[in-house]
Coordinates of all heavy atoms in Angstrom, one line a residue:
M1 N 59.6 -9.8 81.4 CA 60.0 -10.7 80.3 C 59.7 -10.1 79.0 O 58.6 -9.6 78.8 CB 59.3 -12.1 80.5 CG 59.7 -13.1 79.5 SD 59.4 -14.7 80.3 CE 58.6 -15.5 79.0
A2 N 60.7 -10.1 78.0 CA 60.5 -9.6 76.7 C 59.6 -10.4 75.9 O 59.6 -11.7 75.9 CB 61.8 -9.4 76.0
S3 N 58.7 -9.8 75.1 CA 57.8 -10.6 74.3 C 58.5 -11.0 73.0 O 59.5 -10.3 72.5 CB 56.6 -9.8 73.9 OG 56.9 -8.6 73.2
Q4 N 58.1 -12.1 72.4 CA 58.7 -12.6 71.2 C 58.2 -11.7 70.0 O 57.1 -11.3 70.0 CB 58.3 -14.1 70.9 CG 58.7 -15.0 72.0 CD 60.3 -15.2 71.9 OE1 60.8 -15.2 70.8 NE2 60.9 -15.4 73.0
P5 N 59.1 -11.5 69.1 CA 58.7 -10.7 67.9 C 57.7 -11.5 67.1 O 57.7 -12.7 67.1 CB 60.0 -10.5 67.1 CG 61.0 -11.5 67.7 CD 60.5 -11.9 69.0
L6 N 56.9 -10.8 66.4 CA 55.9 -11.4 65.5 C 56.5 -12.1 64.4 O 57.5 -11.7 63.8 CB 54.9 -10.4 65.0 CG 54.0 -9.6 65.9 CD1 53.2 -8.6 65.2 CD2 53.1 -10.6 66.7
T7 N 56.0 -13.2 63.9 CA 56.4 -13.9 62.7 C 55.9 -13.1 61.5 O 55.0 -12.3 61.7 CB 55.9 -15.3 62.6 OG1 54.5 -15.3 62.5 CG2 56.3 -16.2 63.8
R8 N 56.5 -13.4 60.4 CA 56.0 -12.7 59.2 C 54.5 -12.9 59.0 O 53.7 -12.0 58.7 CB 56.8 -13.1 57.9 CG 56.5 -12.2 56.8 CD 56.6 -12.8 55.4 NE 56.0 -14.1 55.3 CZ 54.7 -14.3 55.0 NH1 53.8 -13.3 54.8 NH2 54.2 -15.5 54.8
E9 N 54.1 -14.1 59.2 CA 52.7 -14.5 59.0 C 51.8 -13.7 60.0 O 50.7 -13.2 59.7 CB 52.4 -16.0 59.2 CG 53.0 -16.8 58.1 CD 54.5 -17.2 58.3 OE1 55.1 -16.8 59.4 OE2 55.1 -17.7 57.4
Q10 N 52.2 -13.6 61.3 CA 51.5 -12.9 62.3 C 51.4 -11.4 61.9 O 50.4 -10.8 62.1 CB 52.1 -13.1 63.7 CG 51.9 -14.5 64.2 CD 52.8 -14.7 65.5 OE1 53.9 -14.2 65.6 NE2 52.3 -15.5 66.4
L11 N 52.5 -10.9 61.5 CA 52.6 -9.5 61.1 C 51.6 -9.2 60.0 O 50.9 -8.2 59.9 CB 54.0 -9.1 60.7 CG 54.3 -7.7 60.5 CD1 53.9 -6.8 61.6 CD2 55.8 -7.5 60.1
E12 N 51.6 -10.1 59.0 CA 50.7 -10.0 57.9 C 49.2 -9.9 58.3 O 48.4 -9.1 57.9 CB 50.9 -11.1 56.8 CG 50.1 -10.9 55.6 CD 50.4 -12.0 54.5 OE1 51.5 -12.6 54.6 OE2 49.5 -12.2 53.7
V13 N 48.9 -10.8 59.2 CA 47.5 -10.9 59.7 C 47.2 -9.5 60.4 O 46.1 -8.9 60.2 CB 47.3 -12.1 60.7 CG1 46.0 -11.9 61.5 CG2 47.4 -13.4 59.9
E14 N 48.1 -9.1 61.2 CA 47.9 -7.8 61.9 C 47.8 -6.6 60.9 O 46.9 -5.8 61.1 CB 49.1 -7.5 62.9 CG 49.1 -8.4 64.1 CD 47.9 -8.2 65.0 OE1 47.5 -7.1 65.3 OE2 47.4 -9.3 65.5
A15 N 48.6 -6.6 59.9 CA 48.6 -5.5 59.0 C 47.3 -5.5 58.2 O 46.7 -4.5 57.9 CB 49.8 -5.7 58.0
R16 N 46.8 -6.7 57.8 CA 45.5 -6.8 57.1 C 44.4 -6.3 57.9 O 43.3 -5.9 57.4 CB 45.3 -8.2 56.7 CG 46.2 -8.7 55.5 CD 45.9 -10.1 55.1 NE 46.8 -10.6 54.1 CZ 46.6 -10.4 52.8 NH1 45.5 -9.8 52.4 NH2 47.5 -10.9 52.0
S17 N 44.5 -6.2 59.2 CA 43.4 -5.8 60.1 C 43.4 -4.2 60.2 O 42.4 -3.7 60.7 CB 43.5 -6.4 61.5 OG 44.6 -5.8 62.2
L18 N 44.4 -3.6 59.7 CA 44.5 -2.1 59.7 C 43.5 -1.5 58.7 O 43.1 -2.2 57.7 CB 45.9 -1.6 59.3 CG 47.0 -1.9 60.3 CD1 48.3 -1.6 59.6 CD2 46.8 -1.2 61.6
P19 N 43.0 -0.3 58.9 CA 42.2 0.4 57.9 C 42.9 0.5 56.6 O 44.2 0.6 56.6 CB 41.9 1.7 58.6 CG 42.1 1.6 60.0 CD 43.2 0.5 60.1
R20 N 42.2 0.7 55.5 CA 42.8 0.7 54.2 C 43.9 1.8 54.1 O 45.0 1.6 53.6 CB 41.7 1.0 53.1 CG 42.2 1.0 51.7 CD 41.1 1.3 50.8 NE 41.5 1.5 49.4 CZ 41.7 0.5 48.6 NH1 41.5 -0.7 48.9 NH2 42.2 0.8 47.3
D21 N 43.6 3.0 54.6 CA 44.6 4.1 54.4 C 45.9 3.8 55.3 O 47.0 4.1 54.8 CB 44.1 5.5 54.8 CG 43.6 5.5 56.3 OD1 43.1 4.5 56.8 OD2 43.7 6.6 56.9
E22 N 45.7 3.2 56.4 CA 46.9 2.8 57.2 C 47.7 1.7 56.5 O 48.9 1.7 56.6 CB 46.5 2.3 58.6 CG 45.9 3.4 59.5 CD 47.0 4.4 59.8 OE1 48.2 4.0 60.1 OE2 46.7 5.6 59.8
R23 N 47.0 0.7 55.9 CA 47.7 -0.3 55.1 C 48.5 0.3 54.0 O 49.6 -0.1 53.7 CB 46.7 -1.4 54.6 CG 46.2 -2.3 55.7 CD 45.5 -3.5 55.1 NE 44.7 -3.3 53.9 CZ 43.4 -3.1 53.9 NH1 42.7 -2.9 55.0 NH2 42.8 -3.0 52.7
A24 N 47.9 1.3 53.3 CA 48.6 1.9 52.2 C 49.8 2.6 52.7 O 50.9 2.5 52.0 CB 47.6 2.9 51.5
R25 N 49.8 3.3 53.8 CA 51.0 4.0 54.4 C 52.0 3.0 54.7 O 53.2 3.2 54.5 CB 50.6 4.8 55.6 CG 49.9 6.1 55.2 CD 49.8 7.0 56.4 NE 48.6 7.8 56.2 CZ 47.6 8.0 57.1 NH1 47.7 7.4 58.2 NH2 46.6 8.7 56.8
L26 N 51.6 1.8 55.3 CA 52.5 0.8 55.7 C 53.2 0.2 54.4 O 54.4 0.0 54.4 CB 51.8 -0.3 56.5 CG 52.7 -1.5 56.9 CD1 53.8 -1.1 57.8 CD2 51.8 -2.5 57.6
V27 N 52.5 0.0 53.4 CA 53.0 -0.5 52.1 C 54.0 0.5 51.6 O 55.2 0.1 51.2 CB 51.9 -0.8 51.1 CG1 52.5 -1.1 49.7 CG2 51.1 -2.0 51.5
E28 N 53.7 1.7 51.5 CA 54.6 2.7 51.0 C 55.9 2.8 51.9 O 57.0 2.8 51.3 CB 54.0 4.1 51.1 CG 52.9 4.3 50.0 CD 52.2 5.6 50.1 OE1 52.6 6.5 51.0 OE2 51.3 5.9 49.3
A29 N 55.8 2.7 53.2 CA 57.0 2.7 54.0 C 57.8 1.5 53.8 O 59.1 1.6 53.7 CB 56.6 2.8 55.5
L30 N 57.2 0.3 53.7 CA 58.0 -0.9 53.5 C 58.6 -0.9 52.1 O 59.8 -1.3 52.0 CB 57.1 -2.2 53.6 CG 56.6 -2.4 55.0 CD1 55.5 -3.5 55.0 CD2 57.7 -2.8 55.9
L31 N 57.9 -0.5 51.1 CA 58.5 -0.4 49.7 C 59.7 0.6 49.7 O 60.7 0.3 49.1 CB 57.5 -0.1 48.7 CG 56.5 -1.2 48.3 CD1 55.4 -0.7 47.4 CD2 57.2 -2.4 47.8
G32 N 59.5 1.7 50.4 CA 60.5 2.7 50.5 C 61.8 2.2 51.1 O 62.9 2.5 50.8
S33 N 61.6 1.3 52.1 CA 62.7 0.7 52.8 C 63.5 -0.2 51.9 O 64.7 -0.5 52.2 CB 62.3 0.0 54.1 OG 61.7 -1.2 53.8
L34 N 62.9 -0.7 50.8 CA 63.6 -1.6 49.9 C 64.2 -0.8 48.7 O 65.0 -1.4 48.0 CB 62.6 -2.6 49.3 CG 62.0 -3.6 50.3 CD1 61.0 -4.5 49.7 CD2 63.1 -4.4 51.0
D35 N 63.8 0.4 48.5 CA 64.1 1.1 47.4 C 65.4 2.0 47.6 O 65.4 3.0 48.3 CB 63.0 2.1 47.0 CG 63.2 2.8 45.7 OD1 64.2 2.5 45.0 OD2 62.3 3.6 45.3
E36 N 66.5 1.5 47.0 CA 67.8 2.2 47.2 C 67.7 3.6 46.6 O 68.3 4.5 47.2 CB 68.9 1.4 46.5 CG 70.3 2.0 46.7 CD 71.3 1.1 46.1 OE1 71.4 -0.1 46.4 OE2 72.2 1.7 45.4
E37 N 67.0 3.7 45.6 CA 66.8 5.1 44.9 C 66.2 6.1 45.9 O 66.6 7.2 46.0 CB 66.0 5.0 43.6 CG 66.0 6.2 42.8 CD 65.4 6.1 41.5 OE1 65.7 5.1 40.8 OE2 64.6 7.0 41.1
A38 N 65.2 5.6 46.6 CA 64.6 6.5 47.6 C 65.6 6.9 48.7 O 65.6 8.1 49.1 CB 63.4 5.8 48.3
E39 N 66.5 6.0 49.1 CA 67.5 6.4 50.1 C 68.4 7.4 49.5 O 68.8 8.4 50.2 CB 68.3 5.1 50.5 CG 67.4 4.2 51.3 CD 68.2 2.9 51.6 OE1 69.4 2.8 51.5 OE2 67.5 1.9 51.9
I40 N 68.8 7.2 48.2 CA 69.7 8.2 47.6 C 69.0 9.5 47.4 O 69.6 10.6 47.7 CB 70.1 7.6 46.2 CG1 71.0 6.4 46.4 CG2 70.8 8.7 45.4 CD1 71.3 5.6 45.1
E41 N 67.7 9.5 47.0 CA 67.0 10.8 46.9 C 66.9 11.5 48.3 O 67.1 12.7 48.4 CB 65.6 10.5 46.4 CG 65.6 10.2 44.9 CD 64.2 9.9 44.4 OE1 63.2 10.2 45.1 OE2 64.1 9.2 43.4
E42 N 66.7 10.8 49.4 CA 66.6 11.4 50.7 C 68.0 12.0 51.1 O 68.1 13.0 51.6 CB 66.2 10.4 51.7 CG 66.1 11.0 53.1 CD 65.1 12.1 53.3 OE1 64.2 12.3 52.5 OE2 65.3 12.9 54.3
A43 N 69.1 11.2 50.7 CA 70.4 11.7 51.0 C 70.7 13.0 50.3 O 71.2 14.0 50.8 CB 71.5 10.7 50.7
W44 N 70.2 13.1 49.0 CA 70.4 14.4 48.3 C 69.5 15.5 48.8 O 70.0 16.6 48.9 CB 70.1 14.1 46.8 CG 71.3 13.7 46.0 CD1 71.5 12.5 45.4 CD2 72.5 14.4 45.8 NE1 72.7 12.4 44.8 CE2 73.3 13.6 45.0 CE3 72.9 15.7 46.1 CZ2 74.6 14.0 44.6 CZ3 74.1 16.1 45.7 CH2 75.0 15.3 45.0
R45 N 68.3 15.2 49.3 CA 67.5 16.2 49.9 C 68.2 16.8 51.1 O 68.2 18.0 51.3 CB 66.1 15.7 50.3 CG 65.1 15.7 49.2 CD 63.7 15.4 49.7 NE 63.5 14.0 50.1 CZ 63.2 13.0 49.2 NH1 63.1 13.3 48.0 NH2 63.1 11.7 49.6
I46 N 68.8 15.9 51.9 CA 69.5 16.4 53.1 C 70.7 17.3 52.7 O 70.9 18.3 53.3 CB 70.0 15.2 54.0 CG1 68.7 14.5 54.6 CG2 71.0 15.6 55.0 CD1 69.0 13.2 55.2
E47 N 71.4 16.8 51.7 CA 72.6 17.6 51.2 C 72.2 18.9 50.6 O 72.8 19.9 50.9 CB 73.3 16.8 50.1 CG 74.6 17.4 49.6 CD 75.7 17.7 50.6 OE1 75.7 17.1 51.7 OE2 76.6 18.4 50.3
V48 N 71.1 19.0 49.9 CA 70.6 20.2 49.3 C 70.2 21.2 50.4 O 70.6 22.4 50.4 CB 69.4 20.0 48.3 CG1 68.7 21.3 48.0 CG2 69.9 19.3 47.1
R49 N 69.5 20.7 51.4 CA 69.2 21.6 52.6 C 70.4 22.1 53.3 O 70.5 23.3 53.6 CB 68.3 20.8 53.6 CG 66.8 20.7 53.2 CD 66.0 20.2 54.3 NE 65.1 19.1 53.7 CZ 65.2 17.8 54.0 NH1 66.0 17.4 54.9 NH2 64.4 17.0 53.4
R50 N 71.4 21.2 53.5 CA 72.6 21.6 54.1 C 73.3 22.7 53.3 O 73.7 23.8 53.9 CB 73.6 20.4 54.3 CG 74.9 20.8 55.0 CD 75.9 19.6 55.0 NE 76.4 19.4 53.7 CZ 77.3 20.1 53.1 NH1 77.9 21.1 53.7 NH2 77.8 19.8 51.9
R51 N 73.5 22.5 52.0 CA 74.1 23.5 51.2 C 73.3 24.8 51.1 O 73.9 25.9 51.1 CB 74.3 23.0 49.7 CG 75.3 21.9 49.7 CD 75.5 21.4 48.3 NE 76.3 20.2 48.2 CZ 76.9 19.7 47.1 NH1 76.6 20.3 45.9 NH2 77.6 18.7 47.1
D52 N 72.0 24.7 51.1 CA 71.2 25.9 51.1 C 71.4 26.7 52.3 O 71.5 27.9 52.3 CB 69.7 25.5 50.9 CG 68.8 26.8 50.7 OD1 69.1 27.6 49.9 OD2 67.8 26.8 51.5
E53 N 71.4 26.0 53.5 CA 71.6 26.7 54.8 C 73.0 27.4 54.8 O 73.1 28.5 55.3 CB 71.5 25.7 55.9 CG 70.1 25.2 56.1 CD 69.9 24.1 57.1 OE1 71.0 23.7 57.8 OE2 68.8 23.5 57.2
E54 N 74.0 26.7 54.2 CA 75.4 27.3 54.2 C 75.4 28.6 53.4 O 76.0 29.6 53.8 CB 76.4 26.3 53.6 CG 76.8 25.2 54.6 CD 77.8 24.2 54.0 OE1 77.9 24.2 52.7 OE2 78.5 23.5 54.7
L55 N 74.7 28.5 52.2 CA 74.6 29.7 51.4 C 73.9 30.9 52.1 O 74.3 32.0 52.1 CB 74.0 29.4 50.1 CG 74.8 28.7 49.0 CD1 73.9 28.2 47.9 CD2 75.9 29.6 48.5
K56 N 72.7 30.5 52.7 CA 71.9 31.6 53.3 C 72.6 32.2 54.6 O 72.5 33.3 54.8 CB 70.6 31.0 53.8 CG 69.6 30.8 52.6 CD 68.3 30.2 53.0 CE 67.4 30.0 51.8 NZ 66.2 29.3 52.2
S57 N 73.4 31.3 55.3 CA 74.1 31.8 56.5 C 75.3 32.6 56.2 O 75.9 33.2 57.0 CB 74.4 30.7 57.4 OG 75.5 29.9 56.9
G58 N 75.8 32.5 54.9 CA 77.1 33.1 54.5 C 78.3 32.3 54.9 O 79.4 32.8 54.7
A59 N 78.1 31.1 55.3 CA 79.2 30.2 55.6 C 80.0 29.9 54.4 O 81.2 29.6 54.4 CB 78.7 28.9 56.3
V60 N 79.3 29.8 53.2 CA 80.0 29.6 51.9 C 79.5 30.7 51.0 O 78.4 31.3 51.2 CB 79.8 28.2 51.4 CG1 80.4 27.1 52.3 CG2 78.3 27.9 51.1
E61 N 80.2 30.9 49.9 CA 79.8 31.8 48.9 C 79.6 31.1 47.6 O 80.5 30.3 47.2 CB 80.9 32.9 48.7 CG 80.5 34.0 47.8 CD 81.6 35.1 47.8 OE1 82.1 35.4 48.9 OE2 81.9 35.6 46.7
G62 N 78.5 31.4 46.9 CA 78.3 30.8 45.6 C 79.2 31.3 44.5 O 79.8 32.3 44.7
I63 N 79.4 30.5 43.5 CA 80.2 30.8 42.4 C 79.3 31.0 41.2 O 78.5 30.1 40.8 CB 81.2 29.7 42.1 CG1 82.1 29.5 43.3 CG2 82.1 30.1 40.8 CD1 83.0 28.2 43.1
P64 N 79.4 32.2 40.5 CA 78.5 32.4 39.3 C 78.7 31.4 38.3 O 79.9 30.9 38.0 CB 78.9 33.8 38.8 CG 79.6 34.5 40.0 CD 80.2 33.4 40.8
A65 N 77.7 31.0 37.6 CA 77.7 29.9 36.6 C 78.7 30.3 35.5 O 79.4 29.5 35.0 CB 76.3 29.7 36.0
E66 N 78.7 31.6 35.1 CA 79.6 32.0 34.0 C 81.1 31.7 34.4 O 81.9 31.2 33.5 CB 79.5 33.5 33.7 CG 78.1 33.9 33.2 CD 77.1 34.1 34.4 OE1 77.5 34.3 35.5 OE2 75.9 34.0 34.1
R67 N 81.4 31.9 35.6 CA 82.8 31.6 36.0 C 83.1 30.1 36.0 O 84.1 29.6 35.6 CB 83.0 32.2 37.4 CG 84.4 32.0 38.0 CD 84.7 32.7 39.3 NE 85.6 31.9 40.1 CZ 85.7 32.1 41.4 NH1 85.0 32.9 42.0 NH2 86.6 31.4 42.0
V68 N 82.1 29.3 36.5 CA 82.2 27.9 36.6 C 82.5 27.4 35.2 O 83.4 26.6 34.9 CB 81.0 27.2 37.2 CG1 81.1 25.7 37.0 CG2 80.9 27.6 38.7
F69 N 81.6 27.8 34.2 CA 81.7 27.3 32.8 C 83.0 27.8 32.2 O 83.6 27.0 31.4 CB 80.5 27.7 32.0 CG 79.3 26.9 32.4 CD1 78.2 27.6 32.9 CD2 79.2 25.6 32.4 CE1 77.0 26.9 33.3 CE2 78.1 24.9 32.8 CZ 77.0 25.5 33.2
A70 N 83.5 29.0 32.5 CA 84.7 29.5 31.9 C 85.9 28.7 32.4 O 86.8 28.3 31.7 CB 84.9 31.0 32.3
E71 N 85.9 28.3 33.7 CA 87.0 27.5 34.3 C 86.9 26.1 33.7 O 88.0 25.5 33.4 CB 86.9 27.5 35.8 CG 87.3 28.8 36.4 CD 87.2 28.8 37.9 OE1 87.0 27.8 38.6 OE2 87.2 29.9 38.5
L72 N 85.7 25.6 33.6 CA 85.6 24.2 33.0 C 86.1 24.2 31.5 O 86.7 23.3 31.1 CB 84.1 23.8 33.1 CG 83.8 22.4 32.6 CD1 84.6 21.4 33.4 CD2 82.3 22.1 32.8
D73 N 85.8 25.3 30.8 CA 86.2 25.4 29.4 C 87.7 25.4 29.3 O 88.4 24.7 28.5 CB 85.6 26.6 28.8 CG 85.9 26.7 27.3 OD1 85.9 25.6 26.6 OD2 86.1 27.8 26.8
E74 N 88.4 26.1 30.3 CA 89.8 26.2 30.3 C 90.4 24.8 30.6 O 91.5 24.4 30.1 CB 90.3 27.2 31.4 CG 90.1 28.6 31.0 CD 90.6 29.5 32.1 OE1 91.5 29.1 32.9 OE2 90.1 30.7 32.1
L75 N 89.8 24.0 31.5 CA 90.3 22.7 31.9 C 90.1 21.7 30.9 O 91.0 20.9 30.6 CB 89.7 22.3 33.2 CG 90.1 23.0 34.5 CD1 89.2 22.6 35.6 CD2 91.5 22.8 34.8
V76 N 88.9 21.6 30.3 CA 88.6 20.5 29.4 C 88.1 20.9 28.1 O 87.6 20.0 27.3 CB 87.7 19.5 30.1 CG1 88.3 18.8 31.3 CG2 86.3 20.1 30.5
G77 N 88.1 22.1 27.7 CA 87.5 22.6 26.5 C 86.0 22.4 26.4 O 85.5 22.1 25.3
F78 N 85.4 22.6 27.5 CA 83.9 22.5 27.5 C 83.3 23.7 26.9 O 83.4 24.8 27.4 CB 83.4 22.3 29.0 CG 82.0 22.2 29.2 CD1 81.4 20.9 29.0 CD2 81.2 23.2 29.6 CE1 80.0 20.7 29.1 CE2 79.8 23.0 29.8 CZ 79.2 21.8 29.5
H79 N 82.5 23.5 25.8 CA 81.8 24.6 25.2 C 80.3 24.3 25.1 O 79.9 23.3 24.5 CB 82.3 24.8 23.7 CG 83.7 25.2 23.6 ND1 84.2 26.4 23.9 CD2 84.8 24.4 23.3 CE1 85.5 26.4 23.7 NE2 85.9 25.2 23.3
S80 N 79.5 25.0 25.8 CA 78.1 24.7 25.8 C 77.3 26.0 26.1 O 77.1 26.4 27.2 CB 77.7 23.7 26.9 OG 76.3 23.5 26.9
A81 N 76.9 26.7 25.0 CA 76.2 27.9 25.1 C 74.8 27.7 25.8 O 74.3 28.5 26.5 CB 76.0 28.5 23.7
S82 N 74.3 26.5 25.6 CA 73.0 26.2 26.2 C 73.0 26.2 27.7 O 72.0 26.4 28.3 CB 72.4 24.9 25.6 OG 73.2 23.8 26.0
C83 N 74.2 25.9 28.2 CA 74.3 25.8 29.7 C 74.4 27.2 30.3 O 74.0 27.4 31.5 CB 75.5 25.0 30.1 SG 75.4 23.3 29.8
T84 N 74.8 28.2 29.6 CA 75.0 29.5 30.2 C 73.8 30.4 29.8 O 73.8 31.6 30.2 CB 76.3 30.2 29.7 OG1 76.3 30.2 28.3 CG2 77.5 29.4 30.3
G85 N 72.9 29.9 29.0 CA 71.7 30.7 28.7 C 71.8 31.3 27.5 O 71.3 32.2 26.9

């Protein structure tokens, strides 16, 4: 027979019985689950790792910044000496 899930009140009582460091980790995890920005940051970390692996494996080839800025300048008249160093 399946046990009933804890109520919020029961869960709070259980959480308060944890050692301080465990409570802190639990709070961080719970807050992180509410934080959309944290989800976005994690998605970007995954994407950055994926792109880095593609570059390192040779699956894709990087484009030099000078070329990117030159093409952007042709398309939209983008002029930014600070971006190219």
Side-chain angles (χ1 to χ4, degrees):
M1 183 156 134
S3 63
Q4 295 291 326
L6 296 175
T7 66
R8 192 210 44 87
E9 292 84 6
Q10 291 169 325
L11 186 58
E12 185 177 337
V13 168
E14 290 294 319
R16 286 179 185 272
S17 71
L18 292 170
R20 182 179 174 88
D21 62 324
E22 290 294 318
R23 287 194 322 267
R25 284 192 210 127
L26 179 59
V27 167
E28 288 175 2
L30 291 171
L31 287 174
S33 72
L34 297 176
D35 188 4
E36 185 176 309
E37 188 172 314
E39 292 174 19
I40 293 169
E41 288 176 16
E42 180 60 20
W44 272 113
R45 275 192 286 278
I46 292 167
E47 179 66 13
V48 166
R49 278 189 229 114
R50 183 188 67 78
R51 291 181 185 193
D52 185 52
E53 288 171 9
E54 285 180 339
L55 284 167
K56 286 178 179 176
S57 72
V60 297
E61 187 175 316
I63 302 171
E66 297 81 20
R67 181 173 149 202
V68 171
F69 290 121
E71 290 179 12
L72 186 56
D73 188 35
E74 287 179 25
L75 290 171
V76 294
F78 181 79
H79 298 283
S80 179
S82 65
C83 290
T84 58

